[in-house]
Amino acid sequence: QFGRTEVIDNTLNPDFVRKFVLDYYFEEKQNLRFDVVGDWGNHPPGSHSALFGAQDFLGQAFVALGEVIGSQRGRLERPLTGVPGKRCGTILLLAEELSNCRDIVTMQLCANKLDKKDFFGKSDPFLVFYRSNEDGTFTICHKTEVVKNTLNPVWQPFTIPVRALCNGDYDRTVKIDVYDWDRDGSHDFIGEFATSYRELSRAQSQFTVYEVLNPRKKCKKKKYVNSGTVTLLSFSVESEFTFVDYIRGGTQLNFTVAIDFTASNGLPSQPTSLHYASPYQLSAYALALKAVGEIIQDYDSDKLFPAYGFGAKVPPDGKISHQFPLNNNVENPSCAGIEGVLESYLQSLRTVQLYGPTNFAPVINQVAGTAAQVTDGSQYHVLLIITDGVISDMLQTKEAIVTASSLPMSIIIVGVGPAEFEAMEELDGDEVRLSSRGRYAERDIVQFVPFRDYVDDSGNQVLSMARLAKDVLAEIPEQLLSYMKTRDIKPRRADPE
């Protein structure tokens, strides 16, 4: 139980005043249950009988917080249920965002005399910022760009929402790691330091210098002082529009799915296949689709999702296709809800021949073409690509992504199976901005995660999929905001009550 409203006497149409503050995360499925209890009678407020006695229970409603946020003007009406044979009325839920969530920080840092990590040359330093969580764990909230071949880097100014940095708690620990970038992904740890939003904010009036410490070196070397210093050069705060502002203003998220049907996945009828669905468990493809889709569908008003396959020979002529509709309807590739996508996906497995190669560009260009038709901020597209292998059209894919980075769209790539996904890391562009033919991506629009990193050792699929969804969706709000900001698009005002 999270909280209770006040009691309103003698009415069947109560309008509650008491508000509840919930932490909202786009990337998580936050399920809520509302119980309505009435006719207190002789039961004192808070007693077990008053809350759960048969004569007092009036009904309940189950919703996801994302459904309330994603509904028009943040208003969601739901029927109350739970009393057999009785109409229980309706409940109207209204959501609003706290004003302190609008603050966004712009800061710039430099470093001095960092440890040399590369045998040839110096180091290629970058910073990783972590927000501390209530349970003592840390979540990555920002990475700077890599500055090549220097021990005294100056990083570009960057912006980050206060919510992402400390979730509104100005004294919460912010941990910052310093790494030396390596091409193979095995970045060398240089050192770390900790601070807080409140401490960082003091840089508005003075420079703040942090010692970068490497715990292992500190234990081994008696004369160890530090592994360099990091200086906060500037820090400013301003209030900006948020993801919720745009959703409440009518921006629609349009979700498109693309699934890899190449032969490297294995025959779907064989248990070794990544497409194999046993009677007891969904395939890796289906699990990834459900994990991401069931969250994002709350923000899509029509719940119709275009779904494509690529890398298969399709009937009737057996030609190879890299963007065939899973529902076999070229004119209208949309499926009704995530369950509709799953149903069409399973049907396609029975009718197409898995083949190859693994080409991403056609489906990216397909969604980009749709995104290019409406660029006023009322529509934003999210493409989910689920794949098992190495990209065959890397140059064309990079070109497609660089072009798409100027459009209202994001791309999520989930890699399934044991393959190495080095190319996917390059497309992700978190550490080195993606480029093609001398052009750099205008925004970072790609998020890649390997599915194997989220397989829970205990076999708990629910937990695994919740973690997967959280990480792959974490960047979507900021990517949407970056598009709106570069185009100076402000959220539409919600209609008056």
Side-chain angles (χ1 to χ4, degrees), residues 342-355:
L342 277 170
E343 185 178 330
S344 296
Y345 155 64
L346 295 173
Q347 178 62 30
S348 291
L349 284 176
R350 292 189 285 268
T351 57
V352 305
Q353 178 187 349
L354 274 60
Y355 206 72

Side-chain angles (χ1 to χ4, degrees), residues 241-284:
F241 296 116
T242 66
F243 174 74
V244 174
D245 287 329
Y246 287 97
I247 296 300
R248 293 190 68 190
T251 297
Q252 287 291 309
L253 295 189
N254 300 290
F255 184 45
T256 301
V257 178
I259 295 178
D260 186 335
F261 281 79
T262 55
S264 55
N265 286 282
L267 288 173
S269 59
Q270 300 297 316
T272 54
S273 171
L274 294 169
H275 283 298
Y276 179 74
S278 75
Y280 314 104
Q281 183 174 311
L282 293 172
S283 69

Side-chain angles (χ1 to χ4, degrees), residues 382-460:
V382 179
L383 169 62
L384 170 64
I385 300 175
I386 313 177
T387 183
D388 82 311
V390 178
I391 302 174
S392 305
D393 63 340
M394 187 63 175
L395 293 178
Q396 294 89 337
T397 294
K398 289 169 68 173
E399 179 74 13
I401 292 172
V402 169
T403 300
S405 68
S406 64
L407 297 171
M409 69 177 286
S410 294
I411 302 169
I412 297 167
I413 304 174
V414 178
V416 297
E420 294 299 322
F421 294 107
E422 291 179 5
M424 309 298 183
E425 299 285 1
E426 182 180 351
L427 297 180
D428 193 298
D430 277 347
E431 292 160 7
V432 179
R433 181 63 61 89
L434 187 69
S435 64
S436 174
R437 300 181 185 179
R439 282 197 307 150
Y440 281 85
E442 183 179 308
R443 302 179 296 123
D444 173 16
I445 65 168
V446 179
Q447 172 74 339
F448 166 74
V449 297
F451 183 85
R452 58 174 172 261
D453 288 358
Y454 298 87
V455 177
D456 189 74
D457 292 337
S458 67
N460 187 330

Side-chain angles (χ1 to χ4, degrees), residues 322-336:
H322 296 290
Q323 55 188 96
F324 62 90
L326 296 186
N327 64 2
N328 204 31
N329 186 340
V330 177
E331 299 298 322
N332 183 12
S334 296
C335 302

